[in-house]
Amino acid sequence: MFSKETYLKRQQELLSKVNAGVILLLGNEDSPMNYTDNAYYFRQDSSFLYYFGLTRPGLYALLDKNSGKTTIYGDDFTVEDFVWMGKQPAIQDLVTRCGVEYTGTVKELQNSISQSINRKEIIHFLPPYRPEHTLKIHKLLDIPLEKIKEETSKILIRAIVSQRNYKTEEELVEIEKGVDTTVDMHVKAIEMLRPGMKELDIVIEIEKIAKASGGNISFPTIATINGQFLHNHYYGNTVKEGQLFLLDAGA
């Protein structure tokens, strides 16, 4: 995370870019692979991460133009969760890291949204890209599923783009770290590739570099002798003498 002053400045600038109403930002949820507690690697929604820096699943944020108040909503983990995860910080403790003072439960979020609807306030939200986001917006805002796309806020989209397009010095430092690590991954592949190796041998070594840097891969790695097929994620081929090997990977 950056400093809380960075996130507070971003939040305030976002509020300054909308004329009225409230802004609803949805964090991501865990996405189960084959049952609830066996989830894919968690990746927070990028816009939520930009304004709050919090990587915990199940969070929502409301930014109120009229009051200038920002609230993060979510339900704290329970004792049953602690059995599997160890004790986790309360949401109230987390939000102090990003300059937010107010928190509430998911039920309280619904009450806040209902009050805004009753006051006929504009509720700005981004186009959902996950099915659960679509369902949440449908439930919270009582918008028919087929109309959610057309109801997304163009004002909010433009506001966020206008901020995220321009990088600060502290962002550039992190971008350079990602670029440098990505270079290391590609150089490693060049150095180790030999006839008789499996494509998977390369994938294992370069993804190890991404994770050892403190981060992760930024998208599923493409490492293949069949580069004519876009987004080829099969790694079972054996590399033969004279074949071209396509690597598309990043940290």
Side-chain angles (χ1 to χ4, degrees):
M1 286 185 69
F2 297 123
S3 69
K4 70 177 181 180
E5 288 76 20
T6 293
Y7 297 108
L8 190 56
K9 181 180 179 181
R10 290 174 177 178
Q11 296 159 28
Q12 292 170 342
E13 185 176 344
L14 179 62
L15 280 171
S16 73
K17 291 177 179 290
V18 296
N19 296 325
V22 295
I23 298 168
L24 172 64
L25 294 177
L26 303 179
N28 282 340
E29 300 283 352
D30 273 326
S31 183
M33 285 190 281
N34 56 349
Y35 69 95
T36 304
D37 292 321
N38 188 26
Y40 290 101
Y41 170 78
F42 178 74
R43 176 60 163 81
Q44 184 61 281
D45 172 77
S46 290
S47 291
F48 195 95
L49 197 62
Y50 179 81
Y51 290 103
F52 305 106
L54 301 176
T55 58
R56 183 191 184 284
L59 298 178
Y60 308 72
L62 271 187
L63 298 86
D64 191 314
K65 173 67 176 181
N66 294 327
S67 67
K69 178 179 172 182
T70 296
T71 307
I72 288 182
Y73 296 87
D75 294 327
D76 283 322
F77 290 118
T78 65
V79 173
E80 285 78 10
D81 297 313
F82 296 164
V83 170
W84 300 99
M85 306 165 64
K87 189 171 182 181
Q88 302 295 310
I91 293 172
Q92 181 63 61
D93 296 326
L94 288 176
V95 301
T96 58
R97 303 175 189 173
C98 58
V100 174
E101 295 183 38
Y102 305 99
T103 63
T105 64
V106 174
K107 185 176 181 180
E108 289 169 335
L109 168 67
Q110 181 68 77
N111 293 337
S112 296
I113 292 290
S114 297
Q115 291 172 16
S116 292
I117 292 173
N118 291 336
R119 291 193 294 264
K120 300 189 184 311
E121 293 179 323
I122 300 170
I123 301 175
H124 302 275
F125 62 90
L126 294 171
Y129 57 90
R130 286 190 171 189
E132 63 267 27
H133 282 198
T134 301
L135 293 174
K136 285 177 181 180
I137 292 169
H138 166 65
K139 182 179 179 181
L140 286 168
L141 306 184
D142 195 28
I143 299 175
L145 292 171
E146 65 275 11
K147 291 192 174 182
I148 287 176
K149 185 175 180 180
E150 64 187 71
E151 292 289 333
T152 57
S153 172
K154 305 299 186 296
I155 292 173
L156 180 59
I157 294 170
R158 294 189 190 102
I160 292 178
V161 168
S162 71
Q163 284 184 260
R164 293 187 59 191
N165 259 352
Y166 298 93
K167 308 303 181 186
T168 61
E169 288 300 320
E170 59 188 351
E171 288 178 278
L172 292 175
V173 169
E174 295 302 314
I175 290 171
E176 289 295 335
K177 286 181 185 177
V179 171
D180 289 345
T181 304
T182 299
V183 170
D184 291 342
M185 293 164 67
H186 284 76
V187 169
K188 180 66 174 179
I190 292 169
E191 291 175 345
M192 70 177 291
L193 183 62
R194 296 290 185 276
M197 299 181 78
K198 293 285 188 184
E199 296 160 329
L200 181 60
D201 295 332
I202 300 295
V203 174
I204 290 170
E205 292 302 319
I206 66 169
E207 292 191 354
K208 185 192 301 183
I209 293 171
K211 295 183 179 182
S213 72
N216 208 322
I217 56 172
S218 52
F219 52 87
T221 298
I222 299 168
T224 179
I225 58 174
N226 290 317
Q228 70 274 23
F229 303 125
L230 300 180
H231 289 190
N232 184 344
H233 297 136
Y234 174 73
Y235 311 129
N237 294 309
T238 300
V239 182
K240 297 178 182 178
E241 184 73 43
Q243 287 184 319
L244 289 175
F245 184 89
L246 173 68
L247 178 65
D248 187 1

